Amino acid sequence: MAKRYRYMRLRKQAQEKLRSEEGYALFVRRMIDPESVFGQIKNNRGFRRFLLRGLPQVRLEGGH
């Protein structure tokens, strides 16, 4: 029960942050900035999913 209460409290805090002017501006900017990069990777490079598991293998497969 304590975990659920903490979850609900944190969720409410996040909602309040997003409803503020500053939070909304950050949310809108975040929505635009990375989505174009992922769209380019998926569309132009045909990359849809990683075939390997684990961060080291994903880094290798992703070219980083």
Side-chain angles (χ1 to χ4, degrees):
M1 191 68 163
K3 285 184 181 182
R4 177 149 175 84
Y5 176 73
R6 182 171 183 260
Y7 166 76
M8 295 303 288
R9 184 174 46 84
L10 292 173
R11 183 176 173 200
K12 186 176 180 182
Q13 286 176 350
Q15 286 175 342
E16 288 171 2
K17 277 186 179 181
L18 285 174
R19 287 186 181 135
S20 70
E21 284 187 37
E22 182 184 359
Y24 181 75
L26 287 171
F27 179 72
V28 169
R29 194 178 88 211
R30 182 181 181 269
M31 210 168 33
I32 294 169
D33 290 345
E35 288 301 324
S36 62
V37 174
F38 291 123
Q40 178 196 18
I41 291 170
K42 288 168 78 173
N43 188 42
N44 297 342
R45 298 184 183 193
F47 191 83
R48 297 284 178 191
R49 83 172 48 177
F50 289 101
L51 301 174
L52 303 173
R53 291 183 182 215
L55 193 54
Q57 290 89 353
V58 168
R59 283 188 176 141
L60 178 67
E61 191 175 351
H64 289 91

